[in-house]
Structures are given as C-alpha cells and as structure tokens.
Amino acid sequence: MRLLPALTALSLTTLGVAVASPPAHAGGHTAPPKVPTATGYGGAVSTVDADATAIGLDVLRRGGNAVDAAVAAAAAIGVTEPFSAGIGGGGFFVYYDARSRTVSTIDGRETAPAAATEKYFIDPADGLPYDFNEARVSGLSAGVPGTPATWETALKRWGTRSLGAALEPAARLAERGFVVDATFRQQIADIAGAFGQFESTKKLYLPGGQPPAVGSIQRNPDMAATYRLLGKRGAGAFYRGALAEDIVETVQRPPLAAEPVGTWAYPIRPGVLTEADLAAYRLRFPAPTRSDYRGLTLYGMSTPSSGGTAVGEALNIIEAGLPKSATTADKLHYYLESSALAFADRNRYVGAYTEKEVLKKLISDRWAAQRACEISRTTALTKPVPPGDLNGSGCATATTGGKVEEGQSTSNLTVADRWGNVVEYTFTLEATGGNAMVVPGRGFLLNNELTDFNFAPTQGAAPDPNLPGPGKRPRSSMSPTIVLKGGKPFLALGSPGGASIITTVLQVLVNRIDLGMTLPQAMAAPRASQRNSAGIQAEPAFRTTYGPQLTARGHTFGPDVAELGAATAIEFTRGGGFIATAEPVRRGGGAAAVVHPTR
Ligand code: GLU
C-alpha cells in the first residue's frame, strides 16, 4: 500500500524527489520507503507493498528460503492490500527448485460449489445473465478459497518454516495496525456502496460511516486471530470446523447491515456454497506450460489459467513471423497482432477442462506458424480475429470473438533466495474488495472469483470452455512466469490486471528480449493491450509515442486507460546477482529489495 495517487508519484519521481511515506502515527507503524529497483546479492523480493517486501526480506535475512519469504510476504499483502488478495481468495504459485532444477506449480484457484450449473449466473426470473455487479456482490460469486491451502502446502513441500512462523509477522502487522494511505482509502471509497451493506465490512472499513482518513491507523485484530488460528491448527481449520461454518453462513446468509451506509443498486443474493464444498477443496499441481522463445525456456501456469498458453502462443507467433529486419514499430505491431490471435484461441479453446492435447497444440511451433501467416507486416488484422481451426492447416478460420474481460484487482510477488530458488506468485480476490463481505469475526473478505466464468456462451455455435459447472474452476488470466536460460533462472515476472495480465507479462518480455531494454526500463515503459477487440487499450504515453506508426498500419486505439498492471520481476545476472524490480509509478509504485546491495 502506501500509495500516492499515480499522478503525484509521477511528477515527484520525474522531478527526482523521493516520494515521502505517510507520517508516523501514535501506535501505528510507518512502512519503509518504496524503492522500485534494487540490485545486489543474497536474495531478492519484489511486491507491490513496502511492508510485505520488508517482511519477505527479513525472512531471507534470517535464513529462510524463497518459499518461506513468499508466504510471509503474501500474508502481509493480505493485511495491507486486503482488497486485492488474501486468505478469502485464490491464486497460482510457480516455483523453481534450484536443487532439482525443476519448475512446479500449485493451482490454488477458487472452486465452484457442487450445486453450480451452467446457468449459475442466469437470473431465473427472466432467463438473462445477471449484471456483473449484481453477481459480484452476492454469495454466488464466492468460490472455495485456495489461498490458505496454497500457503501451507508450499511451505510443507519446499519451505523450511511452519505456517505459524510464516504468518506471524503479518499477524503482528494486522494487530498493531498500519498507516492508511490515499490508495487504501480510495479503494474503499470506490466500493463503499457495497461495503456499506454488510455489518462486518462496514465496521472494519467504514468507521463512522466513512472510509478511514489518510494517516489514520488501520487495525484488524480479527485477521490477526485468524492467521494465528491457521498457524496453530493448520490450513485444515479453514476448510472444516467453526471457521468453515462462518464462511458458509456468510455466503448463504450475507451479513446485512441493520443500518446500511450508502446504497447498492442490486438485490443481494445468497449463495449455495456448503461446508461439504469447503471440506472437498483440493489443490492441484499441474505441470507448468513450457515453451521456447529465442533460446529461452518459459514456464507458465497451465489451466485453469490461460496465462501460460496465451503468453507462450503469442511469443511463438512473434518468433515465427517477425522479420529479421524488424524495426521497433514492427515489433510492437507483431506484439499486438500475436496477442489478438492468442486471445481468440484462448477464448475459444481454454477453460478448466481443456484437454492436454489442445493445450499442447496451442503452444506448439506448428500452430504458431499457422497463426503467424495471418499477420501482414504492413496492415493490421481487423479485430476481433477469429480463432484458429484446430483441425485446419495454413491460415485457418472459424467464427466469432469473445468477451473482453476487465480485471481490477490482484497482487503479484517475486522472490529469489541465495540458493537459487525462485517463487513467482499471483493471487487475488478477483475484483477490488472481492464480493464485499468480510466474514464476521474473522477479518477477511471473500472473493468474487466465480464471476470469471462466462455467464452465458460467448462462442456462437461452438462450445464455450468457460461456463460455470459443479466443482469447476473459472478460467484465469494470471500469468506467473519463470524464464530459464541454459537451464538456470534468467527472469521471473507476473502482474495483476485481469485479462490484461497476459499482455503485460508478454509486453515486459518483448521489451526486455526484443526491444533491448533493461528490466527496469522494460517494466517502466508505457503499456498497451490488444485482447482481440476493435481498439487497443493503451496508456496515454504509449499512444503518444507509438500511436502514429501503429495507426498508419491500421491499428485502432481506444478506450485509453490510465495504467495497465502492477508487475513485479527479478532478473538473475551472470555473476549470481539479482535485479529486483517493481513498478516505479503504476498503482503508486512497488517495493523491490535485495539482501546485500554489494557482494
Ligand atoms: N480474476 C482475474 C483472473 O484470475 C484476476 C483479476 C485481476 O487481476 O484484476 O484472471
């Protein structure tokens, strides 16, 4: 947290003035200053939050490994960035183990109740899909969270600390409190109409009927107690027993406020999640996606995330199609075209249950060659482009595009340790503030991840791979990615941003690998996202810099967007060092740190 509005941060940084932390406050805790790039040795951490980074770094300093530090930092994010991610949500954990030189993943995605059907988000009253916000702020949108199980299992498999030890620094932070900054306050203000409908959420986040003042202290003793309960009894205490009962109660009988603050335009519908659904939750451990790009090997997240296949497919298309004599404008043109093609294929083919053969095909060089032949060097394709035909050859066609998803929340972190282990972890509640329901007495918000399902078919006559179903996981765009060079870590990165996660990760890779930027430059460069819609969503600086060259080829821009993503990344240098990077400006800037600045 500790964010200033983006514009203020931008002008201050541009002037070369350090961005000041909020003032210290009696009894409160002031976060360390945020640094977007840190280079050095002995281990590195990059997150969006200064407290989380400091907590992760402290674990590394005390001899913990990357997994210990990642879980401790993630738990801190759950405290200071509670609207983006936490134990009420899910995520994807990608881990490179230095000793075995292997990449493993944990799929901690939220899961739909057993009672969910294809028509889960169709209003029985009129047969039409619910509005997004109506579905979001309801018991229906909350899937069984996977985050507590993810943390515990990551520690058991690869860590050296107990869950209790990893959660304790964050529990202390929740208990002692932290200083509210402008972004924390604004995130509450943006969703205050929904927060004000629930007694528990109102009490925690709308003291006196208002979002907390900037500079005030935000405490969450209930969350501290929940973390300590999990620490003592294990993540099983989340999925069975009193805490599980409280979650089910919240979903089935939303804790409506006796005196709501503000208004909410929709009825608040109960959900159908049961204690049996919670007890049945299981993590998955899918093999990572694997693809090659310019001599590097990329490991990404497989289904239910579409991140690994979409990033891999787009890079393969660039590699197959980009002419040797390419200019910067050519490279960006291919970046945008390949991403539109990859999104068309993702929308048509990728969901929780996509067969392995299809995933393999989408990420194959042969498929990339077939898709690359659609691209002209001089003239942009008309969007939306159709998905490719899995049984076709040459420039294939079928029909229809897909919905353009907008995400607003989520957190990403990257950690590396002195032994060479690496964690890339993206976790989320889906929208900022999840389904807006704090579980009473437990201090955490529930997710609205199930709204990542398509509410109604999007693929015309073809089957839609992302409709709801019993026990099904919604398709994600989260793209935690670890890149190896000669079998050793070269780069690890990820970002929030809904479906634009895929393009942010892709663009940072293209910036770094093809446009010759350093990693900090690649992260800071203006972003654009082409997700197979008519207009390119672009940050104003991208449009100003590259707009004329790209519109000359027929690309269309709009609507503009203030910022895309909030990435974190670490690059591994030849001499065993780290370049840890976070956003210099987006979302108020992130916090990178290394254990030793010099060798
Ligand atoms: N729910 C989104 C996904 O899993 C992430 C939301 C966001 O980043 O805003 O793809």
Side-chain angles (χ1 to χ4, degrees):
M1 266 345 296
R2 262 131 296 289
L3 312 176
L4 292 166
L7 205 60
T8 318
L10 176 65
S11 45
L12 290 174
T13 341
T14 315
L15 293 169
V17 177
V19 179
S21 299
H25 196 285
H29 154 86
T30 302
K34 279 183 162 182
V35 181
T37 299
T39 55
Y41 302 86
V45 183
S46 182
T47 81
V48 296
D49 179 71
D51 279 315
T53 294
I55 283 174
L57 196 71
D58 191 56
V59 173
L60 293 179
R61 282 207 175 112
R62 291 167 191 265
N65 72 11
V67 174
D68 304 325
V71 173
I77 296 276
V79 175
T80 57
E81 293 249 339
F83 315 120
S84 294
I87 52 173
F92 299 105
F93 195 101
V94 179
Y95 172 64
Y96 172 79
D97 184 75
R99 202 179 311 161
S100 61
R101 294 187 160 209
T102 51
V103 179
S104 308
T105 77
I106 301 179
D107 160 12
R109 186 70 161 166
E110 298 89 333
T111 301
T117 66
E118 232 174 66
K119 296 213 166 18
Y120 193 66
F121 286 119
I122 302 291
D123 188 343
D126 59 11
L128 296 172
Y130 295 124
D131 281 352
F132 174 79
N133 275 317
E134 181 172 8
R136 173 195 168 178
V137 180
S138 80
L140 290 169
S141 65
V144 181
T147 296
T150 301
W151 292 353
E152 179 172 72
T153 298
L155 289 168
K156 275 193 184 146
R157 290 197 167 192
W158 309 304
T160 68
R161 302 279 153 101
S162 67
L163 183 62
L167 298 186
E168 187 48 33
R172 276 202 299 271
L173 187 59
E175 200 167 47
R176 192 174 42 170
F178 57 92
V179 181
V180 168
D181 66 19
T183 301
F184 189 90
R185 182 180 199 284
Q186 191 57 47
Q187 286 182 330
I188 295 173
D190 290 345
I191 187 71
F195 276 12
Q197 306 309 305
F198 303 105
E199 196 65 45
S200 46
T201 317
K202 185 183 113 171
K203 196 169 134 211
L204 188 56
Y205 294 125
L206 293 167
Q210 294 289 330
V214 173
S216 64
I217 301 302
Q218 180 72 26
R219 292 193 177 86
N220 190 344
D222 288 347
M223 185 180 285
T226 302
Y227 275 0
R228 286 183 178 132
L229 172 75
L230 299 183
K232 209 161 134 202
R233 303 245 322 274
F238 189 92
Y239 296 96
R240 285 192 167 82
L243 178 46
E245 283 166 26
D246 288 353
I247 294 170
V248 168
E249 177 70 16
T250 306
V251 166
Q252 293 192 359
R253 275 170 290 277
L256 297 177
E259 289 174 35
V261 173
T263 51
W264 183 245
Y266 302 97
I268 292 161
R269 294 170 193 277
V272 294
L273 194 80
T274 63
E275 283 173 51
D277 290 321
L278 277 156
Y281 187 83
R282 296 290 177 270
L283 296 171
R284 295 175 62 254
F285 306 94
T289 60
R290 197 199 127 125
S291 56
D292 297 321
Y293 187 63
R294 305 208 188 287
L296 305 167
T297 311
L298 270 91
Y299 291 89
M301 197 62 222
S302 191
T303 52
S305 185
S306 57
T309 47
V311 170
E313 178 182 346
L315 288 174
N316 287 342
I317 295 173
I318 295 173
E319 196 168 33
L322 189 69
K324 287 238 153 24
S325 59
T327 61
T328 296
D330 287 329
K331 289 173 184 171
L332 292 171
H333 170 67
Y334 269 80
Y335 156 62
L336 297 166
E337 298 290 78
S338 71
S339 139
L341 291 165
F343 261 92
D345 295 341
R346 162 208 188 257
N347 292 344
R348 168 60 64 84
Y349 300 117
V350 183
Y353 302 138
T354 304
E355 302 81 24
K356 280 204 178 80
E357 291 63 41
V358 172
L359 297 175
K360 258 195 189 150
K361 175 147 200 179
L362 290 176
I363 212 169
S364 69
D365 288 338
R366 218 164 135 195
W367 180 257
Q370 184 177 326
R371 297 300 269 151
C373 81
E374 307 265 359
I375 302 177
S376 141
R377 186 172 179 172
T378 52
T379 315
L381 291 160
T382 303
K383 316 289 184 317
V385 295
D389 178 355
L390 288 177
N391 301 314
S393 58
C395 282
T397 49
T399 44
T400 76
K403 76 168 184 179
V404 175
E405 296 154 47
E406 287 301 331
Q408 312 128 8
S409 177
T410 310
S411 205
N412 187 79
L413 56 89
T414 314
V415 182
D417 64 30
R418 68 177 105 148
W419 299 283
N421 305 304
V422 185
V423 172
E424 190 59 49
Y425 182 37
T426 318
F427 65 132
T428 186
L429 298 179
E430 206 317 272
T432 306
N435 84 342
M437 297 178 203
V438 169
V439 179
R442 305 296 188 172
F444 65 92
L445 282 156
L446 288 175
N447 69 84
N448 68 300
E449 211 70 51
L450 300 187
T451 60
D452 270 0
F453 284 119
N454 291 337
F455 292 10
T458 61
Q459 298 299 306
D464 186 314
N466 190 35
L467 291 175
K472 191 175 175 185
R473 297 179 182 197
R475 178 177 62 208
S476 171
S477 300
M478 291 189 269
S479 309
T481 306
I482 296 181
V483 184
L484 304 188
K485 190 182 198 169
K488 289 198 186 135
F490 164 62
L491 194 59
L493 76 165
S495 177
S500 75
I501 292 172
I502 290 169
T503 56
T504 291
V505 167
L506 187 57
Q507 194 177 0
V508 173
L509 287 167
V510 167
N511 286 346
R512 174 68 189 90
I513 299 164
D514 291 293
L515 291 170
M517 297 183 195
T518 63
L519 183 61
Q521 288 167 341
M523 293 276 283
R527 293 189 186 138
S529 180
Q530 172 45 279
R531 306 195 296 278
N532 200 22
S533 56
I536 297 166
Q537 212 181 29
E539 294 176 347
F542 184 92
R543 193 169 173 157
T544 313
T545 315
Y546 305 111
Q549 289 155 291
L550 291 166
T551 44
R553 295 176 195 218
H555 287 280
T556 311
F557 280 84
D560 273 354
V561 61
E563 50 184 57
L564 283 162
T568 68
I570 295 177
E571 183 167 326
F572 303 81
T573 64
R574 278 215 193 119
F578 304 100
I579 305 169
T581 54
E583 298 284 358
V585 176
R586 295 180 186 93
R587 275 217 206 162
V594 291
V595 173
H596 304 298
T598 53
R599 201 186 271 279

